[in-house]
Amino acid sequence: MTSTQHSTRGQARRDEIVQAAIEVIAERGYRGASLAAVAEKVGLTQQGLLHYFPSKEALLIGVLTLRERWDSGGRDIIAEPMTIAAHEGVVEANSHREAIVRTFSALLGESVTEDHPAAEFFKLRYRRVREAYTASLRQEWGDRLPSGLTPEEAAPLLIAIMDGLQFQWLHEPESFDMPAAFRAFVRLLDPKAAP
Amino acid sequence: MTSTQHSTRGQARRDEIVQAAIEVIAERGYRGASLAAVAEKVGLTQQGLLHYFPSKEALLIGVLTLRERWDSGGRDIIAEPMTIAAHEGVVEANSHREAIVRTFSALLGESVTEDHPAAEFFKLRYRRVREAYTASLRQEWGDRLPSGLTPEEAAPLLIAIMDGLQFQWLHEPESFDMPAAFRAFVRLLDPKAAP
């Protein structure tokens, strides 16, 4: 076996473990999640799991990183500007992946409690994403959006709407139409957007 | 001692316990919080605490109810319509009461995990608040907001913005200006609003 095959298999195993962790956190939150429960889901001993992720925090970072990759449709949201239409696509896609959205929302909530291991991640993520969205909005609309807001003013609102709508949706996934609510927000940013 | 004095003292004690619970939940989340820690903060035995709140869930409901009372400035948000200016006042006030906002945001996050005792509370709260805000927005602006949205479209966005901005603020309370961000959202709803 070549080392490339080895690492590809290792990566597949890591992905499988992260997927199991997402499910366990969606059920119990991070503080309530145990490595034993994650190990059991993938048929490993706890010792075997520690070979891939040396600590519960390392696994948490794995989960948060995977989410980031999905959220941006596989792109690097910092390097590549996203149009508002691309954001609509992300919200639409999120409405079909409840487990990861549930996990992320639970972690976001937990992260504001004392000394939470994800606190720094979310703080830095918010900074980076505000900057990236500001740049994207400026690229699409210049220094003023059609609504009159600056990109700097609109970026934190765009993030807040996405985070906030997810909670309303997670509490009523059958009846709350998250993509439609997001499109209404887009019409606030750009009154000429299609309803 | 009359029974009125008795119940007033009992109420003061209950308020004190709820305040202690808010602090403990802000530190550890609800799942991580223990009745023992709350009892210790107010100088009661755990048995003494159970006299006021017969279970951890009863105490949780006490916390959520108090928050509701504060959020509306003591008013019943369902019975009395709130103008958008009153909402600005709530966000401004929230920016000076970090502990309760932190507790509420942590509980909101936890509430999306499996079988959480606050799940039903948040689900019903969202329904009630969406209805109440829809009615308030209609009273202020009629069937179309200046931005062209219907009150039904704007109400979930108003809630999402308030919930979502709190997370960004809690991660950087020193530098993220939550009231200013909310006022920018108000200008989206009503382009004629003062900046």
Side-chain angles (χ1 to χ4, degrees):
Chain A
M1 186 185 289
T2 68
S3 76
T4 307
Q5 280 178 313
H6 216 117
S7 72
T8 304
R9 282 204 196 171
Q11 186 58 48
R13 193 60 151 163
R14 285 172 63 90
D15 286 353
E16 191 191 352
I17 294 167
V18 167
Q19 187 55 50
I22 286 170
E23 288 165 25
V24 172
I25 295 172
E27 284 165 17
R28 301 288 309 164
Y30 173 74
R31 285 207 161 111
S34 73
L35 286 179
V38 176
E40 199 191 328
K41 262 192 197 286
V42 291
L44 281 172
T45 61
Q46 201 168 325
Q47 206 52 42
L49 180 69
L50 292 173
H51 171 71
Y52 295 94
F53 293 94
S55 68
K56 194 176 158 189
E57 287 190 26
L59 186 50
L60 174 64
I61 300 304
V63 168
L64 294 169
T65 308
L66 181 70
R67 196 268 182 189
E68 197 91 313
R69 225 161 71 204
W70 283 11
D71 201 35
S72 58
R75 289 163 311 194
D76 180 339
I77 56 167
I78 308 305
E80 291 180 47
M82 274 177 80
T83 61
I84 203 72
H87 282 289
E88 284 183 20
V90 168
V91 174
E92 176 66 35
N94 282 345
S95 76
H96 298 287
R97 48 190 184 207
E98 193 179 317
I100 184 77
V101 173
R102 195 172 289 280
T103 300
F104 177 80
S105 298
L107 286 173
L108 176 58
E110 263 185 80
S111 72
V112 304
T113 60
E114 210 164 84
D115 298 327
H116 195 279
E120 192 67 10
F121 171 89
F122 278 107
K123 177 177 157 175
L124 296 179
R125 177 179 181 276
Y126 275 138
R127 280 193 201 169
R128 287 188 303 119
V129 176
R130 275 196 298 264
E131 276 177 31
Y133 286 10
T134 298
S136 289
L137 292 165
R138 178 159 279 118
Q139 173 146 334
E140 189 160 4
W141 279 307
D143 288 337
R144 290 278 168 186
L145 276 70
S147 56
L149 261 56
T150 64
E152 283 77 8
E153 289 174 319
L157 301 182
L158 181 54
I159 299 168
I161 280 289
M162 293 174 93
D163 288 345
L165 288 178
Q166 285 177 358
F167 286 108
Q168 291 180 63
W169 172 66
L170 287 170
H171 279 296
E172 296 200 85
E174 307 293 311
S175 58
F176 186 79
D177 189 340
M178 179 164 70
F182 185 74
R183 287 193 300 272
F185 176 72
V186 172
R187 280 162 49 216
L188 285 181
L189 295 182
D190 178 10
K192 290 180 294 294
Chain B
M1 189 186 285
T2 68
S3 75
T4 308
Q5 281 177 312
H6 216 116
S7 71
T8 305
R9 283 204 196 170
Q11 187 57 48
R13 192 61 153 163
R14 286 172 62 90
D15 286 352
E16 190 191 353
I17 294 166
V18 167
Q19 187 56 49
I22 287 170
E23 289 165 25
V24 172
I25 295 171
E27 285 163 17
R28 300 289 310 164
Y30 173 74
R31 286 208 160 112
S34 73
L35 285 179
V38 176
E40 198 191 327
K41 261 193 197 284
V42 293
L44 280 172
T45 62
Q46 201 168 324
Q47 206 51 42
L49 180 70
L50 293 173
H51 171 71
Y52 295 95
F53 293 94
S55 67
K56 193 176 159 189
E57 287 191 26
L59 185 50
L60 174 65
I61 299 304
V63 167
L64 294 168
T65 308
L66 180 71
R67 197 270 181 186
E68 198 90 315
R69 226 163 70 205
W70 282 11
D71 202 35
S72 58
R75 289 163 311 194
D76 181 339
I77 55 167
I78 308 306
E80 290 179 48
M82 275 176 82
T83 61
I84 202 73
H87 281 290
E88 285 184 18
V90 168
V91 174
E92 176 65 36
N94 282 345
S95 75
H96 298 288
R97 49 192 184 206
E98 193 179 317
I100 184 79
V101 173
R102 195 172 289 279
T103 301
F104 176 81
S105 297
L107 286 173
L108 176 58
E110 265 185 77
S111 72
V112 304
T113 59
E114 208 164 84
D115 297 329
H116 195 278
E120 192 68 11
F121 171 89
F122 278 106
K123 177 176 158 176
L124 295 178
R125 178 179 179 276
Y126 275 137
R127 281 193 201 168
R128 287 188 304 119
V129 176
R130 276 197 296 265
E131 277 178 31
Y133 286 8
T134 298
S136 290
L137 292 165
R138 178 158 279 118
Q139 174 146 334
E140 191 162 2
W141 280 306
D143 287 338
R144 287 279 168 186
L145 275 69
S147 55
L149 261 57
T150 63
E152 283 76 8
E153 288 173 319
L157 301 182
L158 182 53
I159 298 168
I161 280 288
M162 294 174 92
D163 288 345
L165 288 179
Q166 285 176 358
F167 285 107
Q168 292 180 64
W169 172 66
L170 287 170
H171 278 296
E172 295 200 87
E174 308 292 313
S175 59
F176 186 79
D177 190 340
M178 178 165 72
F182 184 74
R183 287 194 301 272
F185 176 71
V186 172
R187 280 161 50 214
L188 285 181
L189 294 181
D190 178 9
K192 290 180 295 295

